Amino acid sequence: MNMIAPIERTDDRLARTEVASLVALAARTVAPLWPLESAIAVNPLAGFEELPFAQAVAEASKLFGAHRTLPLALWRRLHENGRIDEAALRDAAIGHLGGIYRAAAPIAPGVTMLDALMACLLVIGRGDRPERKAGLGPDAAFIAKWCGAFFDHGMTAMQLPHRDLGLYRAVLAMAAYDPDYRTLTGARGAALLLSFPRDPLEAISEGLASLAAEVDQLAYLSGLVARLPGWAGHIRWRCEHADPDRVADAPATMADLVALWILLSRADALSEPPAAPSAGEDRAPALLAHFGLTAKALGPRNAQRLDSVARVDDDRLGALFMQAAERSYANGLMPALQRAARTTSPPVRPDVQLVFCIDVRSEPFRRVLEAEGNYETFGYAGFFGLPIALHPFAGPHRARLLPVLLSPRHDISERPVPGRESEAEAIADRARGDACTTDLFAAAKAGPATAFAAAEATGPLAAALMLARTFAPRATGRAAATLRARRQRALAPAGDAHEDHAGFSLADKIGYASALFRLTGLQPDTARLVVLTGHGATAVNNPYAAALDCGACGGHAGGSNARLLAAMLNDEDVRSGLAKEGIALPGSTYFLAAEHNTTTDEVVIFDADRIPPTHAADLAALSASLARAAEANRARRALLLGRAPGDLLTGAVHWGEVRPEWGLAGNAAFVVGPRDLTRTIDLQGRAFLHSYDWRTDMDGSALATILTAPMVVAQWINCQYLFSTIDNQHYGSGDKVTQNVIGGIGVVQGNGGDLKIGLPRQSLFCDDGLPHHIPQRLLTIVHAPFDRVAALVESSDILGRLFGKGWVQLIVIDPETARARRWREDGADCSEGRSLLAIDC
Amino acid sequence: MPIKDDTLRLHRRRKIEIVMRAEDRTLIEDLLRAAGVSGWTMIRDVAGMGHHGFHQGRTIFNDESGLVMFVGVGDQAIIADVASGLSRLFERRPGVTFLSDVEVMRSDYFAPSIGTAGDPSF
């Protein structure tokens, strides 16, 4: 006789809608995780942004079992290498102790509390942290295994049955045949499979009803979601950001995932939740020894002072180092910016104007290009303000070429360039043929009857390809580049209506064209050539290749957006519309689109064959300058990578390259202002630069757009790098060498487990283990009147939260006086009675 | 000339209007789906005065800033279910809701309660 698991029946069971709300709130514990093809940087602690930064880090540490800071030993090495200023560290220590008077309080003759705290920061203890056991418990491994099977994106030979039923029901249907489930749950688990509700919300409701009354239901559900942040993040992406046709074959909600956890919980198969790691030992004995003191020699008051310093744990010490890193950076940058703000340079009409993405990698390239000639450069969000999805020619799915904060408003088709239809068809035929070959090979490789034959038949070819990629990577790279160039010549995104796609209306085009001028301060008196320069990257055999592309274009290269906007700006009707809005462009101005390859620093100019003959000489001069700028920037970057400049070109096409570029590592600032503010300063590729002219934005709407959109994306990037660095195991993705791609959607460490949510170690750390990226919060610097910025921040939930809770630091430079003020964090001293506090710079 | 009500066949329903932060949009969508509401109206960029001052409505590059308003119509039981779930959300997230009786012309457009017999039209 089958035993049915006892079910606690209660009258106060939650309704489905109440459960749905609780699950939806619990889902916010993790950030959405985009698939590899469009990897987007997100703040892994986005769900904690309502809290002050330090509290959020502490709460997340408890929930995910993650570290709160870099190991002290690494902070010390950064300090020894001069990347953290000792004076800034001392200031942070004084702040922690409650001010200079308390910091100077003696512990013993010649030893102050500040001396003791500095000793703790720099000397006392090893400062490393013990290795923790990696891997999942058997319960999490069980769910992760089924998630991997359920969400597989066409990689396996045989798909999981019952996927159409949803994750929860599909696993329920299969669990009875899974020995891991039997081992985990025993007879109780088998009985539960027969009796447990098939509706995930009802299953969760039943699970919640079985909890003790004092258990916080939301905290309980959040804890379950946090046990597999990778798969939970993938589900959030599917539910909130994916195109429906991409996920329809395997429907899954967060309730499915939580219901599986509830099933294991009801079977008494849940392991202990992760615990926050320990943050160091008592330093009192070491402090006494360091200063040659004995406990007996100290009076009670001094002993208490010593004890209060000795109890500062590694997490707090790490936080002081981070604060010092932030101050070191700001103290170095602000005086230079204020000097530039006091200086006025006479207007010079440039030969060419180039608009780059705000990405930190654009800044050094802009600087070397400006040194090559009479060029003026601007920073603008790399999707050029076009909220589009692009349907590739003969391609299966549309690509969202816009920030994830936006939904596509225009579906754009990639179509043959007039006169190149046959070339485009040939490219499409080849792409279709390649896809068929790939599918055939995959099927043959995976088929039980064909696997060995496929290996025999294709082995020599694969070996030849492998040898070519290993010993002649530049040759294989050239072949790929030729194909890419051919495609770019024959195909272009088309903004007009086509088949089911409405394209842009004239009003849309005028609106997007004028936004370029309104948001960047670009004046209507444009140069003869204006080049809209998107960016992308080149990497081979790299699951994180999309993370090196343009974040503002949803993890894709930005060339298509640049081509579309350039075409709009060359359109006579658009020019007429712009003139009616007061943006009358010279007839001699021609807009071009280009794409900066951040791995090789090569710049591709699109549609150059259509440039008017009158502008050919301008383009030729620019092309020569771009080539020289590329060489100069490669030389600069090669130093940072510890390579020869030529190696960068090889690394971009070598399948064994684990660090083709540093990406956005080092990002630290977001500067909103004219280029004159930063032109003379070497920002070392650490600053997002958004052009802005406060004089042309009297209602503050352009600034509102810049701070609530591009800056938010920059903050996500900054937080992803920050947290991936401080705990690469939990918030990053670990060593690339031991990663495997799973299901075509993400990476796991080893042969299974949770999807990894952040950046790999090689993107953040040097080979000697020292962080290349210093974990510090974004510093936003705005060149605008104080009152305008204050009014804007106070009226915006997002900005109030980011600046008030300390996720981003804000400094405003008044354009008239060049004085600077810092935004006061919530709860900080407000004796000045205002939000923007005076600072000494 | 106004059309008299007795020339139309109208159906009584309940309406729920929910104003929340745009970044919480998916919370409401999950809730409406769980209640069995298959369709709703969402109005972006809602502006207005609240406890924390004036909320700007206009956004350009960020669909997740500002406020949105959802409007859903259904049978009384379904809308009560939505409100019940909403009370959980309001424990953690700011927002306001309005419930009211409405009359609709095309009743099949709006979510019926499961097992509802007959149509409470008049």
Side-chain angles (χ1 to χ4, degrees), chain A residues 12-30 201 204-209 211 215-225 254-255 258 262, chain B residues 26-28 30-31 34 81-82 84-93:
Chain A
D12 55 352
R13 191 174 295 182
L14 297 181
R16 292 179 84 253
T17 50
E18 290 179 281
V19 177
S21 290
L22 286 174
V23 171
L25 286 168
R28 300 299 175 100
T29 309
V30 297
L201 290 174
I204 297 167
S205 180
E206 187 174 311
L208 291 176
L211 296 176
V215 174
D216 179 331
Q217 293 173 328
L218 179 56
Y220 176 75
L221 295 177
S222 300
L224 295 180
V225 170
M254 196 62 77
V258 172
I262 295 279
Chain B
T26 55
L27 300 177
I28 302 295
D30 283 355
L31 169 60
D81 257 2
V82 174
S84 165
L86 203 54
S87 66
R88 292 278 172 173
L89 291 182
F90 283 161
E91 289 169 13
R92 306 282 176 160
R93 289 288 198 276

Side-chain angles (χ1 to χ4, degrees), chain A residues 16-17 21 28 50 407 409 708, chain B residues 21 26 34 62-63 81 85:
Chain A
R16 292 179 84 253
T17 50
S21 290
R28 300 299 175 100
E50 300 279 350
S407 301
R409 290 176 196 161
T708 57
Chain B
R21 287 180 186 166
T26 55
N62 188 345
D63 289 344
D81 257 2

Side-chain angles (χ1 to χ4, degrees), chain A residues 185-405:
Chain A
T185 64
R188 184 173 172 82
L192 274 171
L193 287 181
L194 300 173
S195 63
F196 216 48
R198 263 43 190 168
D199 175 65
L201 290 174
E202 287 176 16
I204 297 167
S205 180
E206 187 174 311
L208 291 176
S210 71
L211 296 176
E214 66 272 16
V215 174
D216 179 331
Q217 293 173 328
L218 179 56
Y220 176 75
L221 295 177
S222 300
L224 295 180
V225 170
R227 285 178 177 235
L228 287 172
W231 287 115
H234 179 67
I235 289 174
R236 277 200 69 188
W237 169 76
R238 293 176 82 90
C239 295
E240 299 170 31
H241 298 278
D243 283 339
D245 65 314
R246 300 291 305 276
V247 296
D249 59 332
T253 65
M254 196 62 77
D256 286 288
L257 183 66
V258 172
L260 289 175
W261 281 113
I262 295 279
L263 172 71
L264 296 187
S265 165
R266 297 297 315 281
D268 296 328
L270 272 196
S271 59
E272 283 297 308
S278 152
E281 76 281 26
D282 178 16
R283 289 189 166 80
L287 265 177
L288 288 168
H290 178 74
F291 289 108
L293 304 172
T294 60
K296 284 181 186 171
L298 302 180
R301 194 171 60 174
N302 288 354
Q304 193 181 20
R305 285 175 180 160
L306 180 121
D307 189 51
S308 71
V309 173
R311 276 191 280 108
V312 180
D313 63 21
D314 280 19
D315 290 337
R316 189 72 193 106
L317 295 174
L320 292 179
F321 267 112
M322 188 176 82
Q323 206 177 326
E326 292 163 353
R327 286 192 187 186
S328 302
Y329 182 74
N331 290 345
L333 180 59
M334 285 309 299
L337 288 174
Q338 287 182 276
R339 267 196 305 278
R342 287 188 201 101
T343 312
T344 50
S345 45
V348 178
R349 186 176 163 83
D351 295 337
V352 181
Q353 291 169 313
L354 299 100
V355 183
F356 285 84
C357 179
I358 61 170
D359 191 286
V360 298
R361 292 166 292 180
S362 298
E363 180 269 325
F365 190 85
R366 288 170 63 181
R367 191 157 35 81
V368 292
L369 179 63
E370 286 162 352
E372 288 294 329
N374 184 20
Y375 301 124
E376 185 179 21
T377 67
F378 294 81
Y380 189 36
F383 75 118
F384 294 100
L386 304 180
I388 59 167
L390 181 70
H391 296 255
F393 188 63
H397 299 296
R398 69 176 192 167
R400 293 175 173 224
L401 304 182
L402 75 173
V404 297
L405 293 166

Side-chain angles (χ1 to χ4, degrees), chain A residues 710-728:
Chain A
M711 193 206 71
V712 171
V713 173
Q715 181 250 336
W716 288 4
I717 293 168
N718 172 265
C719 281
Q720 185 187 50
Y721 274 80
L722 188 157
F723 290 111
S724 290
T725 306
I726 64 174
D727 191 336
N728 196 241

Side-chain angles (χ1 to χ4, degrees), chain A residues 338-339 341-342 813-820:
Chain A
Q338 287 182 276
R339 267 196 305 278
R342 287 188 201 101
I813 300 175
D814 180 66
E816 303 281 11
T817 64
R819 288 169 55 200

Side-chain angles (χ1 to χ4, degrees), chain A residues 452-785:
Chain A
F452 288 108
E456 291 279 344
T458 60
L461 180 62
L465 275 174
M466 185 184 74
L467 290 171
R469 283 170 163 181
T470 307
F471 297 108
R474 300 274 281 271
T476 54
R478 274 195 297 276
T482 304
L483 285 175
R484 211 163 37 240
R486 197 173 155 218
R487 184 179 177 92
Q488 287 161 350
R489 208 170 44 239
L491 295 164
D496 50 339
H498 180 65
E499 293 175 357
D500 296 337
H501 308 148
F504 299 106
S505 67
L506 178 60
D508 291 333
K509 292 178 185 176
I510 295 168
Y512 294 130
S514 72
L516 169 68
F517 293 86
R518 277 191 303 108
L519 293 174
T520 64
L522 175 62
Q523 296 298 305
D525 184 20
T526 43
R528 283 171 54 76
L529 264 188
V530 182
V531 186
L532 308 180
T533 316
H535 68 98
T538 312
V540 180
N541 190 30
N542 185 343
Y544 288 91
L548 300 174
D549 280 335
C550 179
C553 295
H556 301 89
S560 296
N561 297 59
R563 291 175 94 174
L564 280 165
L565 188 60
M568 289 178 198
L569 285 157
N570 287 328
D571 184 322
E572 287 300 324
D573 294 335
V574 174
R575 294 251 182 133
S576 300
L578 285 175
K580 287 177 191 158
E581 291 189 9
I583 306 171
L585 303 182
S588 61
T589 292
Y590 188 79
F591 286 83
L592 268 175
E595 192 172 277
H596 172 211
N597 183 324
T598 55
T599 321
T600 64
D601 277 313
E602 292 160 336
V603 175
V604 173
I605 304 278
F606 296 108
D607 310 312
D609 52 348
R610 281 189 267 168
I611 193 170
T614 48
H615 290 65
D618 302 273
L619 179 58
L622 173 65
S623 297
S625 296
L626 287 169
R628 287 193 297 272
E631 202 171 328
N633 204 36
R634 274 198 300 274
R636 185 197 69 83
R637 289 177 45 231
L639 282 177
L640 295 174
L641 286 160
R643 309 267 181 85
D647 284 356
L648 271 57
L649 300 175
T650 307
V653 291
H654 198 292
W655 71 334
E657 177 60 62
V658 293
R659 189 184 296 124
E661 56 166 281
W662 274 120
L664 292 97
N667 70 81
F670 183 89
V671 183
V672 184
R675 179 59 174 153
D676 285 347
L677 196 65
T678 54
R679 192 196 309 271
T680 57
I681 307 169
D682 180 0
L683 294 165
Q684 300 175 331
R686 301 189 68 188
F688 300 89
L689 298 184
H690 200 302
S691 295
Y692 173 69
D693 186 345
W694 66 278
R695 294 165 302 181
T696 59
D697 179 39
M698 298 318 284
D699 67 351
S701 60
L703 186 59
T705 300
I706 293 167
L707 292 182
T708 57
M711 193 206 71
V712 171
V713 173
Q715 181 250 336
W716 288 4
I717 293 168
N718 172 265
C719 281
Q720 185 187 50
Y721 274 80
L722 188 157
F723 290 111
S724 290
T725 306
I726 64 174
D727 191 336
N728 196 241
Q729 185 183 325
H730 284 90
Y731 295 137
S733 64
D735 198 319
K736 267 185 178 177
V737 177
T738 48
Q739 285 174 357
N740 279 303
V741 174
I742 183 167
I745 50 179
V747 301
V748 294
Q749 275 293 345
N751 63 355
D754 195 15
L755 287 182
K756 304 306 285 184
I757 60 172
L759 294 165
R761 183 173 178 78
Q762 283 83 353
S763 298
L764 306 158
F765 289 83
C766 304
D767 293 339
D768 64 0
L770 195 65
H772 176 75
H773 178 76
I774 299 179
Q776 63 187 76
R777 291 168 291 179
L778 191 69
L779 170 64
T780 290
I781 298 161
V782 179
H783 184 255

